Each structure stands twice: as structure tokens, then as C-alpha cells.
Amino acid sequence: MSRVYNFSAGPAVLPEEVLKECAEEMMDYKGCGMSVMEMSHRSKVYDEIIKEAEKDLRDLMNIPDNYKVIFVQGGASLVFAGVPMNLMKKGKAAYIITGQWAKKAAQEAEKYGEVVKVASSADKTFSYIPDCSDLDIPDDVDYVYICENNTIYGTKFWELPNTKGHELVADVSSCFLSEPVDVSKYGVIYGGVQKNVGPSGVQIIIVREDLIADGPALKCTPTMMDWKIQSDNESLYNTPPCYGIYVCGKVFKWIKKMGGLEAMKKHNEQKAKILYDFLDSSKMFKGTVEKKDRSLMNVPFITGNEELDKKFVAESKAAGFENLKGHRSVGGMRASIYNAMPIEGVEKLVAFMKKFEEENS
Amino acid sequence: MSRVYNFSAGPAVLPEEVLKECAEEMMDYKGCGMSVMEMSHRSKVYDEIIKEAEKDLRDLMNIPDNYKVIFVQGGASLVFAGVPMNLMKKGKAAYIITGQWAKKAAQEAEKYGEVVKVASSADKTFSYIPDCSDLDIPDDVDYVYICENNTIYGTKFWELPNTKGHELVADVSSCFLSEPVDVSKYGVIYGGVQKNVGPSGVQIIIVREDLIADGPALKCTPTMMDWKIQSDNESLYNTPPCYGIYVCGKVFKWIKKMGGLEAMKKHNEQKAKILYDFLDSSKMFKGTVEKKDRSLMNVPFITGNEELDKKFVAESKAAGFENLKGHRSVGGMRASIYNAMPIEGVEKLVAFMKKFEEENS
């Protein structure tokens, strides 16, 4: 077995010890005589797995008691519809457009009500986060929506928008559990787990209970997308994505063992600093994002020469650095350095970039 | 490691060799240096996994070229909404109610249009399949819906209903790949994979392409539930449940190796015969379903004495037979004997039942 350094934007690198445990428990989970994949979701042993996963997540994020946690299927893309279906009681919402995923979320919401785009960074290819301290938000919106970390463009909201008293809904797929978060500032935090937390196929939605107390806003909401029903049934209305939740649970325990979200933040800042410092000093490579808005998770960079970019991607792959090619919509390179990427992965990448720069200058 | 005989109705037993391969490949899939859980769904290596899974499924089921195959998330319960959303162009559909899942599917469809219940076996606790050879089906329905194998009650449509020319839509979750099927008789066949095919969190929808050519019938359909978009994007509109699809692919290969669906049918008939023959000869245990409608997959039975049922469930569990308790809505016992249940599992169960009968008569 030899492992590469995997800089994929998602699905992405997972902690080796989590994968080892999954392998060891594959045929027989803790002496119960079956794989977690084979267990009834109504069995006592699985109930412990899902309950413990929720408890560990609550501990890690310090989730207040008046917030519900649900594990659902469908991808963030399905939640794009779930947000207006559940929350658009007055039929209007404000969206801040900082990239492709916020744009797609807004487009989907337009099927169900009025969408007001209150800010955007489309003018500069989403390379920054717009000033959201004093936006013109209509009084009658149901919520203000952001994509908090923009996987494709490598930007992050370091300050939450001033929503002027409206509920904040945030897609945190690509920064989930990467640092401490004050859940009470949000109405809804949600994310797909396939970047920082587990295998694709699980979304986690954290929602303040009063927002869903009366059930969904729209009658056309499928039962499976009714957050109140999912919450009342503790994510067991139907068969959940059992194995994925089990892996997430292991990652939660790994983060706890590593010291929790404060420690994760330090670890992530350290890795990002190594890479950004190099980009800022290099004559060949440069970051594409305004410094104040740089993501700790996704680091896009270019050489300014498409042929050289291609050469870099090919040679880095040959050297054991996988998935450094930028998103098909923007080109260049991107290193996603999620929680499970070890520091030496980034150090070795920077050493490789230095060598490449020397050889190609 | 010791493995039990797992009679769970789903998630359910998987072939041991599939699980072994999953464990072996967990840290490093075929030398690519990462787990399938960590792979980009847009990578070449994952593309081969999903393409090969579809190809093997097409081979196994002999799926005609004018049928699309999509892998989606959300559970059959989400497809309950997806069916009317995609197909209810005239706003009306016929449902045949043979159990709880057909009932739930009909209830969900009522959100989106008119539902005509054209037959039901509710009068005898769903212990039989109603005669569907000459139903009174309105001319203007978009489709006729069945749940082909009823997991909870242990019945199976051995003859498809006469739909009088309307499209047949079938939920085959609990009989998927258990025997050969003539796909051309259906407009849509779909199922969750967590019974006969893989881990929970993946649904497979097989749909004739002309039915989705114009996109969904209803405007409120979330993009993720738009079968045309899913099909046009070959199940990669967003990040699919990658790991689950990978396991399904392994199960497809296992079924092929076992001799395909004809061989599966023989294997399943043989197992079911052992159990039904015993039930028919026992003085203590009896099956609950009309003989002509018995499922090969789910075999419910009772002693007629609730205390004895409880004792049996407890003692069978202690003897290494798991999940024999009947569904919470019907009580008694149920043995689910899916493809991956070996014959010796059923033989040993019957031997145990005989012994229990002797000891408790």
C-alpha cells in the first residue's frame, strides 16, 4: 500500500486512522457479527452509532440545545431546494453571490419564490468577498443566504454579513469543522460531508428549532425534505445513509482526539500559511484571491502561463500529488488542504513547487 | 471475527467476498493511493467505477438501450415524490395498495395530483396480492404504480397487473436482482439498494427515455429530482454517493460470477422452499401469506402465541440468527433471505426452528 497526497476538492482526503478502523471493522463491527453496511438502521447497535455521531458533533461545534441536527441525503444541491421549501414563508429571500454554488442555490430558490441578489463578486471572477456590512436587504425576506467558503474560487467569509436581523442560512460544505463556529449566529448551517467530514452521500443540517416548528413553508415539499419530519424522526424517517454517518462519526472522534475545533483551526492556519507564504514570495506562482478573503481550505493558484500550468499539474501528479488541477470552470491549479491533509503534505508540495520553479525559470 | 446469520429486512446481508474486497481496498484502491471514499467523482478512476457499475447492471438485467439508468440519493421515500414530479403530466395516477410502502407512495403522490386506488389488499392485512387482471383504471392516468415485493408483509406480484396500456411504475427495492426481469414491461423500475445490492444511500432508477424526454411534469421538481438532468449528466450532476455505488458495482460482479439472475433465482427459490416447506409442515410455526403470493425474499411467520414469538426471537438471537423479529407494524417473525444469504443460513434456521418446536410443544 502506498498513499498519495490527495489535494482533491471533494470527495477528499480522510484521516488514515479512520480508514484503517473502517477496514478492520468491515466484516464484523465490534463483535456484532456483521458490517455496519449490513445493519438494520433500527437496530440497537446502529442506534448507538448515529446517536453518538450526533452527540460528538454537538460537543465539537458546541451546538445549542435549541438547534436540531439532521443527517440527510441528496447533496448540498438538494438542500438548495430544501432551503426555500422549508423557510420561504413570505416567499422572498436574499442571496449573496460569491461563486458557482451560491449562484446555483439562488437559481434553485427562484423556482420557489423571489430571490434578491443583494451582493455579488461576479465582477472579478469571484476572487473576493463583497463588503456585506451594510447591504440593502428588503425588510420582508425570509432569510439571507451565503456560501461561507467557496471551494472553486478559494474565498471565505471571515466576517459574517450583517443580515439586519434576518436569519442567516449558510452552506459550509467546504469549511465544515475546520475551525470553531458560533452556531447561534445562524438560522441554518448545512453542508455536504464529502470535503472535511466523510464520504459523499451525507448532508448535515443544523437548524434552529423555531424555524421548522410549523413544518415546511411550501406544500410541494417532499416528505423526505421536510426538516421537521426528519428532525422529529431523528434522521430515521427512512433508512439513512448508514455507512456514511458511521464514517462521519469516526471523523468526529478523530477531531476530538486531535484537540477539537480550536486545534483544527491552528493546524489549518499553519498549513495554509506555508502555502500562501510561498505563493506570496514566488516569482512563478501566485494566488488568485484577495488576501483578506483567502480560504484556509481551498488554495487556487496560477503561473500566468497555461502551458506551464498544465506541465505543473502533470509533473506534480507523477510525483505523487493528486488532484491539483483547478476546477474546470476556472483552470489553473488548486490545492484543497482540508483537516485530514497532514502538514508534511503541504510542506512537500511547496518543496516540489520550489523545485519546479527553479527548473522552469 | 465471527459472522452471524443476518436476516435483516434491510440494510441487509452482503456477500462476504464483497466486504473482504472493500476492506482490502480501503486505504489504496488498486494502487491509486487513496480510498474510493476520498476520490474526486470527476476523476478517471472513479469514472471507470461508475461506468462499469452501470454496464454490469445493464448486462445483468438485460436493460434495453432506450432505458436510462441513474444512481441517485434520498431513499425510495424520496422517489415517492420523484415519480409524480417527473411523470404526472395529466395530473392523475393509479396506485395498487399492497402494503405500507405502496400506501406511503400513494400518500406522497396525493401532494402532487389525483391518486386513484384501483386495488388494495388492506382488508386482510396485506396478506395477499389482489387480482389485477381486469382493474377499473381511468383512461387518463399517467401511470399505474405497484410495490412489486412487499418487504413487511412478504408478498410478491408474480404476475404484473394489466395496466390497460398505461405505463407501469414499480418499486422493486426488496426484490431487486433476485430473478430475471423483463424491463421492457415497465415504464420505470426503481429501488433502494440496501436490501439486495449494497449499502443504504443509493437508489437505482431505470426509466424509459421517452418518459423523461421533455423533463419533469411538475415545475416544483428540485433539480436533483429531475430524472432527465440526472440522466443527461450520467448521475454526476453533483457528487453522487460514490462509495455506495462502488459497493453496488462489486455486488453486480458477484452476481455475474454466481451465474447471473437465472442462477440467483434458482438459489433464492431453493432457500425459500426450505423455509416454506418447513412452515407448511410445522405444527407450531405458520406463514402469514397466501401461498400463491409468497415472496422469495421476505418470509413472515408466527406461532400464534405472542409470548412464544418473543421467546423464539430472543433464543434465535442468542443462537446467532439476527433480526428475525417481524416489522414493528405487524409483529411475529420475519426472515429476509436476500441474494447474499447462503443456503446453510436457511438450513440452520430451519434446524433451529425444529428444535425450538420440539422443546416448546
Side-chain angles (χ1 to χ4, degrees):
Chain A
M1 183 202 84
S2 91
R3 302 256 305 160
V4 294
Y5 290 109
N6 177 13
F7 294 92
S8 172
V13 58
L14 289 168
E16 271 196 32
E17 60 183 87
V18 164
L19 294 172
K20 267 182 203 154
E21 278 182 29
C22 290
E24 283 161 14
E25 293 171 353
M26 184 61 80
M27 308 294 293
D28 180 8
Y29 174 76
K30 296 189 177 175
C32 80
M34 60 182 89
S35 171
V36 174
M37 288 195 217
E38 303 177 295
M39 277 176 198
S40 167
H41 56 297
R42 311 256 174 229
S43 64
K44 206 177 148 198
V45 55
Y46 190 74
D47 200 59
E48 278 168 22
I49 291 172
I50 191 169
K51 289 277 195 321
E52 203 160 307
E54 180 179 335
K55 191 188 166 302
D56 284 335
L57 180 65
R58 284 186 173 277
D59 288 351
L60 275 174
M61 292 181 72
N62 201 13
I63 299 175
D65 287 346
N66 64 328
Y67 282 74
K68 299 290 187 181
V69 174
I70 54 178
F71 297 95
V72 296
Q73 298 181 54
S77 297
L78 190 62
V79 186
F80 293 169
V83 167
M85 282 175 160
N86 281 277
L87 304 180
M88 248 194 200
K89 285 175 186 158
K90 289 177 275 186
K92 193 189 284 190
Y95 279 71
I96 297 174
I97 311 299
T98 53
Q100 189 168 309
W101 299 112
K103 208 164 122 184
K104 284 199 173 189
Q107 276 167 358
E108 191 77 0
E110 279 171 347
K111 283 188 186 170
Y112 305 103
E114 188 184 343
V115 166
V116 186
K117 290 169 191 158
V118 292
S120 168
S121 52
D123 59 336
K124 290 184 186 167
T125 331
F126 302 119
S127 59
Y128 70 104
I129 297 291
D131 177 2
C132 298
S133 59
D134 187 22
L135 297 171
D136 191 11
I137 300 171
D139 284 342
D140 59 346
V141 298
D142 289 298
Y143 58 86
V144 176
Y145 183 101
I146 61 168
C147 179
E148 192 161 332
N149 186 83
N150 295 281
T151 324
I152 297 175
Y153 304 95
T155 59
K156 161 98 202 286
F157 279 86
W158 288 110
E159 201 167 327
L160 292 176
N162 176 356
T163 64
K164 314 243 168 128
H166 298 290
E167 300 301 341
L168 181 63
V169 176
D171 172 0
V172 298
S173 296
S174 53
C175 58
F176 219 178
L177 301 183
S178 64
E179 56 174 347
V181 54
D182 182 353
V183 173
S184 71
K185 290 186 174 166
Y186 302 78
V188 180
I189 307 183
Y190 80 91
V193 305
Q194 72 273 12
K195 294 163 193 296
N196 244 340
V197 190
S200 60
V202 182
Q203 279 66 241
I204 298 173
I205 301 176
I206 302 163
V207 53
R208 218 178 55 234
E209 60 186 2
D210 61 286
L211 293 176
I212 55 170
D214 302 327
L218 305 185
K219 278 189 183 159
C220 65
T221 308
T223 304
M224 285 296 296
M225 295 171 72
D226 177 332
W227 296 347
K228 177 164 168 41
I229 286 182
Q230 289 286 7
S231 159
D232 287 349
N233 287 276
E234 297 177 300
S235 308
L236 290 165
Y237 175 78
N238 78 339
T239 318
C242 297
Y243 195 76
I245 294 169
Y246 151 80
V247 180
C248 292
K250 285 194 181 297
V251 173
F252 300 154
K253 287 208 185 298
W254 175 80
I255 296 175
K256 275 183 145 179
K257 205 180 78 178
M258 298 283 286
L261 297 189
E262 283 292 353
M264 270 303 133
K265 187 183 181 189
K266 269 186 205 155
H267 168 67
N268 290 324
E269 282 174 342
Q270 202 179 345
K271 286 183 293 178
K273 187 175 186 321
I274 293 168
L275 191 44
Y276 284 124
D277 280 354
F278 171 67
L279 290 174
D280 292 340
S281 70
S282 165
K283 290 204 170 63
M284 175 179 282
F285 297 102
K286 55 175 178 285
T288 57
V289 165
E290 280 193 21
K291 285 187 185 177
K292 69 175 177 45
D293 301 322
R294 281 172 167 176
S295 165
L296 292 182
M297 298 284 99
N298 312 100
V299 183
F301 55 95
I302 52 171
T303 63
N305 174 329
E306 271 186 40
E307 286 310 304
L308 209 55
D309 285 356
K310 256 190 204 162
K311 192 178 177 205
F312 178 80
V313 170
E315 290 187 11
S316 64
K317 189 178 164 69
F321 304 97
E322 284 283 344
N323 293 306
L324 282 167
K325 200 177 163 185
H327 188 270
R328 57 209 149 96
S329 67
V330 292
M333 282 76 72
R334 175 180 49 176
S336 294
I337 49 177
Y338 297 119
N339 286 350
M341 171 59 65
I343 287 179
E344 67 263 26
V346 180
E347 286 170 342
K348 284 187 180 165
L349 172 62
V350 166
F352 179 82
M353 289 168 80
K354 280 183 183 162
K355 190 166 150 276
F356 184 89
E357 183 169 349
E358 279 163 27
E359 287 169 1
N360 291 276
S361 294
Chain B
M1 186 200 81
S2 90
R3 300 257 304 162
V4 295
Y5 290 109
N6 176 13
F7 294 92
S8 172
V13 58
L14 289 168
E16 271 196 29
E17 59 185 87
V18 165
L19 294 172
K20 267 182 204 155
E21 279 182 27
C22 290
E24 284 161 13
E25 294 171 353
M26 184 60 80
M27 309 294 294
D28 180 9
Y29 175 75
K30 296 190 175 173
C32 79
M34 60 182 91
S35 172
V36 174
M37 288 194 217
E38 303 176 295
M39 275 176 200
S40 168
H41 57 298
R42 311 258 174 225
S43 64
K44 207 176 148 197
V45 55
Y46 190 74
D47 200 59
E48 277 168 22
I49 291 173
I50 191 168
K51 290 277 192 326
E52 203 161 305
E54 179 178 336
K55 191 186 166 304
D56 284 334
L57 179 66
R58 285 187 172 275
D59 288 352
L60 275 173
M61 292 181 72
N62 202 12
I63 299 174
D65 287 344
N66 63 328
Y67 283 74
K68 299 291 187 181
V69 174
I70 53 178
F71 298 95
V72 296
Q73 298 181 54
S77 297
L78 189 64
V79 185
F80 292 170
V83 167
M85 281 176 161
N86 280 278
L87 303 179
M88 248 194 198
K89 285 175 186 158
K90 288 177 276 188
K92 194 189 282 189
Y95 279 70
I96 297 174
I97 311 298
T98 53
Q100 189 169 311
W101 298 113
K103 209 164 119 184
K104 283 199 174 189
Q107 276 167 358
E108 190 77 359
E110 280 170 347
K111 282 188 187 170
Y112 306 102
E114 189 184 344
V115 166
V116 186
K117 290 170 190 159
V118 292
S120 168
S121 52
D123 60 334
K124 290 182 185 167
T125 331
F126 302 118
S127 58
Y128 71 104
I129 297 291
D131 179 1
C132 298
S133 60
D134 187 20
L135 298 171
D136 192 10
I137 300 172
D139 285 340
D140 58 346
V141 298
D142 289 298
Y143 58 86
V144 176
Y145 183 101
I146 61 169
C147 179
E148 192 160 333
N149 185 84
N150 295 280
T151 325
I152 297 174
Y153 304 95
T155 60
K156 160 98 201 284
F157 279 85
W158 288 108
E159 203 166 324
L160 293 177
N162 176 355
T163 63
K164 314 243 169 125
H166 298 289
E167 300 301 340
L168 181 63
V169 176
D171 173 359
V172 299
S173 296
S174 54
C175 59
F176 218 0
L177 302 182
S178 64
E179 56 174 348
V181 55
D182 182 351
V183 173
S184 71
K185 290 185 175 166
Y186 303 78
V188 180
I189 306 182
Y190 81 90
V193 305
Q194 73 273 14
K195 294 161 193 297
N196 244 341
V197 190
S200 61
V202 182
Q203 280 65 243
I204 298 173
I205 301 176
I206 302 163
V207 53
R208 217 178 56 236
E209 59 186 1
D210 60 286
L211 293 176
I212 54 170
D214 302 327
L218 305 186
K219 279 190 184 160
C220 65
T221 308
T223 305
M224 285 297 295
M225 295 172 72
D226 176 332
W227 296 348
K228 180 165 167 36
I229 285 182
Q230 289 285 7
S231 159
D232 288 348
N233 287 277
E234 297 179 299
S235 307
L236 291 165
Y237 174 78
N238 77 338
T239 317
C242 297
Y243 196 76
I245 294 169
Y246 151 81
V247 179
C248 292
K250 286 195 180 296
V251 173
F252 299 154
K253 288 209 184 296
W254 175 80
I255 297 175
K256 276 183 144 179
K257 204 179 81 178
M258 297 284 285
L261 298 188
E262 282 294 352
M264 270 303 132
K265 186 183 182 188
K266 269 187 205 155
H267 168 68
N268 289 325
E269 282 174 343
Q270 203 179 342
K271 285 181 294 179
K273 188 175 185 319
I274 293 168
L275 190 45
Y276 284 125
D277 280 355
F278 171 68
L279 290 174
D280 291 341
S281 71
S282 164
K283 289 201 170 65
M284 175 179 283
F285 296 101
K286 55 175 179 285
T288 56
V289 165
E290 279 194 20
K291 285 188 186 176
K292 69 173 178 46
D293 301 321
R294 281 172 166 175
S295 165
L296 292 182
M297 298 285 99
N298 312 98
V299 183
F301 56 94
I302 51 172
T303 63
N305 173 328
E306 271 186 40
E307 286 309 305
L308 210 54
D309 286 356
K310 256 190 205 164
K311 191 176 179 207
F312 177 80
V313 170
E315 290 187 10
S316 64
K317 190 178 164 70
F321 304 97
E322 284 285 344
N323 293 307
L324 282 166
K325 197 173 166 189
H327 188 269
R328 58 212 148 97
S329 67
V330 295
M333 282 77 70
R334 174 180 51 174
S336 294
I337 49 177
Y338 296 119
N339 286 349
M341 172 59 64
I343 287 178
E344 68 264 25
V346 179
E347 286 170 344
K348 285 186 179 164
L349 171 63
V350 166
F352 178 82
M353 289 168 78
K354 280 182 182 163
K355 190 167 151 273
F356 183 90
E357 182 167 349
E358 280 164 26
E359 289 170 1
N360 292 276
S361 293

